[in-house]
Amino acid sequence: MSEIREIQVPDIGDFKDLPVIEVLVKPGDSVAFDEPLLTLESDKASMDVPSPGAGIVVAVAIKEGDRVSKGSLILTLQMAVDDVPAAEPPVKSDAVAETVASAKDSAAPSGAFQPPAVPEVSVSDVKPRASPSIRRYARTLGIDIARVKGSAKGGRILREDIEGYVKNALVRLDTPGQRAEHGAGLNLLPWPDVDFTRFGTIEKVALSRIKKISGANLSRNWVMIPHVTNHEEVDITELEAFRVQLNQEGGKDAIKYTMLAFLIKAAVATLQAFPSFNSSLGNEDGEPILILKQYFHIGFAADTPNGLVVPVIRDADQKGIGQLATECAELARKARDGKLGPADMTGGTFTVSSLGGIGGTGFTPIINAPEVAILGVTRAQIRPVWDGNAFVPRLILPLALSWDHRVVDGAAAARFLQHLAALLADFRRIAL
Ligand code: CAO
């Protein structure tokens, strides 16, 4: 036998007119004894109002935002006669709700009442069951509690469930493939999951260690830095003639003067003239600051069979072009042999990425964080240049400067490139 009972707000102490912050049940729900029906919030704490018995919710009389006091009607409940309680269970404030919830969840349901058939409820309709403190905990961590699977009886969410959810999310974010799949936390569309074998034969190859590490760094830098790339073309006819002459003068064990060494030398002189390009963004007492470096350690991108690495030439401002060329060659050899140590690749303040030996007319280099700018160089080509009277063949070098728009702006970047171009066009200026 069953009967319909009106369930009212029980004795809630001195509180009156408390706002309902959540109604946890709806008509058709089956509730167990002591299961929370709604959550009230006082200025001191939130509290669950538990069901005084097991049964089926027939009608709900209140909604979120309503204000209730002792005796306010909450809902009507169809209960087995045996289950009709003599006394109501106490309201649980948020300090104790969690422990009580766990204890309750392990208790057997009471009575022999067989609830009548209720309409099937889809998963998305079901409100997650959790005590106010657990809800608040989830809110503090920025978690949508509806995504958390409860492990206690009736799907009730415990603190461990929230923690498990967070742990899983962190593990997923730490896995490169998953990071892409989850849109790098940017709420992007998931990465396309394509079965390529549907379209043709494929071969699966593991990424090298270097590719995995540089890929993760490049993705972070691309996503987190507001990159802008400025382009410039510079006439290096005289510089190349000088470089060729230097190399011709050298004996058997002579230094090979490379364009990269001249680029590094000119870049250092330009960084000295524009210190904000030789900096990093920092944070002090919660305020963003710019850390201007008074040393000039220049990285250069080196292509190796296992992927891209960036060895660093220390104190490039204190070295001549011959020494820069020698050190670049040594570091590039070490890079190709996989022998670079961490000390060879850390501490850079600016990077030069030269594809000039390979080709191309321009590209967008990705800033090597925490640096704020990078110079990309592609292949110099003889072009006809108008000298006022006639077209003359000149060797033109394309430059691309990517810079962090949080640190510098377009005018500064254009001036930086102009300065660099002027030095490369007439290297004597470096002595000025
Ligand atoms: N324009 C035209 N020719 C150029 C040039 C330029 N900008 N830069 C170099 N060259 C020519 C040189 O004259 C030389 O020619 P010769 O063999 O006829 O003398 C040849 O290219 C090789 O030059 P190099 O010995 O000076 O080597 P390099 O400075 O070009 O390269 C290094 C050294 C380490 C930068 C290079 O091996 C490398 O790894 N480059 C790739 C960097 C890279 O991958 N960047 C992209 C990063 S983003 O993915």
Side-chain angles (χ1 to χ4, degrees):
M1 265 205 15
S2 67
E3 69 170 49
I4 307 284
R5 262 204 66 190
E6 289 192 339
I7 309 297
Q8 293 157 351
V9 174
D11 187 353
I12 47 176
D14 292 338
F15 296 112
K16 275 201 181 106
D17 274 344
L18 288 189
V20 175
I21 57 166
E22 195 162 7
V23 180
L24 301 165
V25 292
K26 62 181 181 322
D29 280 358
S30 112
V31 294
F33 167 74
D34 208 22
E35 188 169 326
L37 302 174
L38 74 160
T39 306
L40 306 177
E41 191 155 66
S42 75
D43 48 0
K44 293 199 182 67
S46 55
M47 58 186 97
D48 274 355
V49 174
S51 176
I56 304 290
V57 176
V58 178
V60 178
I62 46 154
K63 57 183 186 321
E64 275 172 33
D66 285 355
R67 289 182 168 267
V68 295
S69 307
K70 181 184 173 193
S72 304
L73 178 63
I74 303 172
L75 50 77
T76 47
L77 194 64
Q78 184 173 18
M79 305 173 81
V81 172
D82 289 354
D83 256 9
V84 175
E88 284 158 338
V91 169
K92 297 171 184 85
S93 82
D94 113 305
V96 293
E98 195 183 329
T99 39
V100 174
S102 323
K104 172 195 77 72
D105 287 332
S106 58
S110 60
F113 174 63
Q114 289 299 313
V118 288
E120 208 171 281
V121 181
S122 77
V123 175
S124 59
D125 287 341
V126 175
K127 276 222 164 165
R129 300 195 164 161
S131 68
S133 63
I134 293 294
R135 285 170 189 281
R136 179 156 338 123
Y137 185 44
R139 268 200 304 274
T140 313
L141 297 173
I143 293 167
D144 174 3
I145 201 160
R147 291 171 165 268
V148 181
K149 203 168 174 321
S151 63
K153 194 162 173 299
R156 193 167 172 81
I157 298 164
L158 307 177
R159 196 179 178 90
E160 301 89 270
D161 299 323
I162 303 275
E163 286 162 357
Y165 180 86
V166 172
K167 270 186 209 151
N168 277 337
L170 289 175
V171 168
R172 283 203 304 270
L173 278 175
D174 267 352
T175 314
Q178 294 284 332
R179 202 182 298 123
E181 188 184 313
H182 289 268
L186 295 175
N187 211 14
L188 305 176
L189 285 176
W191 196 258
D193 184 15
V194 179
D195 175 9
F196 299 104
T197 59
R198 284 175 46 221
F199 306 106
T201 310
I202 60 163
E203 184 196 351
K204 292 185 179 176
V205 183
L207 285 184
S208 70
R209 203 179 66 85
I210 289 178
K211 278 221 164 84
K212 283 189 208 157
I213 295 170
S214 63
N217 279 291
L218 290 164
S219 304
R220 180 203 53 207
N221 300 349
W222 182 251
V223 167
M224 292 190 66
I225 301 173
H227 278 74
V228 184
T229 307
N230 282 30
H231 297 270
E232 184 59 272
E233 291 187 332
V234 49
D235 184 337
I236 58 161
T237 314
E238 315 301 344
L239 177 59
E240 178 63 1
F242 179 49
R243 190 184 76 83
V244 170
Q245 182 196 328
L246 285 173
N247 284 333
Q248 282 168 352
E249 283 169 5
K252 195 163 146 280
D253 298 322
I255 294 164
K256 184 187 174 194
Y257 288 92
T258 60
M259 186 52 72
L260 183 61
F262 282 95
L263 286 164
I264 290 175
K265 188 77 192 165
V268 168
T270 312
L271 291 169
Q272 286 169 325
F274 296 85
S276 58
F277 287 79
N278 198 55
S279 72
S280 284
L281 273 173
N283 193 303
E284 202 157 77
D285 303 328
E287 283 297 312
I289 55 162
L290 199 59
I291 301 161
L292 296 165
K293 295 156 200 168
Q294 275 145 26
Y295 52 89
F296 298 85
H297 300 340
I298 309 298
F300 65 96
D303 180 37
T304 78
N306 287 324
L308 176 72
V309 289
V310 184
V312 174
I313 303 210
R314 295 202 174 256
D315 300 312
D317 55 318
Q318 293 162 34
K319 294 175 180 167
I321 293 164
Q323 192 177 349
L324 292 174
T326 308
E327 286 193 23
C328 280
E330 274 166 16
L331 285 167
R333 194 174 322 110
K334 260 174 112 176
R336 277 192 290 275
D337 296 345
K339 299 221 166 95
L340 288 177
D344 295 320
M345 293 187 283
T346 47
T349 59
F350 181 83
T351 299
V352 177
S353 177
S354 172
L355 289 171
I358 304 168
T361 56
F363 69 112
T364 306
I366 298 179
I367 298 167
N368 190 16
E371 296 164 23
V372 298
I374 180 170
L375 180 70
V377 183
T378 44
R379 171 154 283 230
Q381 281 183 318
I382 301 280
R383 298 243 200 94
V385 175
W386 185 252
D387 73 354
N389 295 308
F391 281 105
V392 290
R394 305 293 295 178
L395 186 63
I396 305 298
L397 178 74
L399 301 176
L401 180 78
S402 293
W403 41 278
D404 185 335
H405 212 329
R406 295 170 300 178
V407 177
V408 283
D409 55 30
R415 287 189 195 106
F416 182 99
L417 265 181
Q418 284 295 308
H419 191 92
L420 179 66
L423 294 179
L424 293 170
D426 186 347
F427 223 78
R428 292 172 306 179
R429 288 175 185 277
I430 215 144
L432 295 177

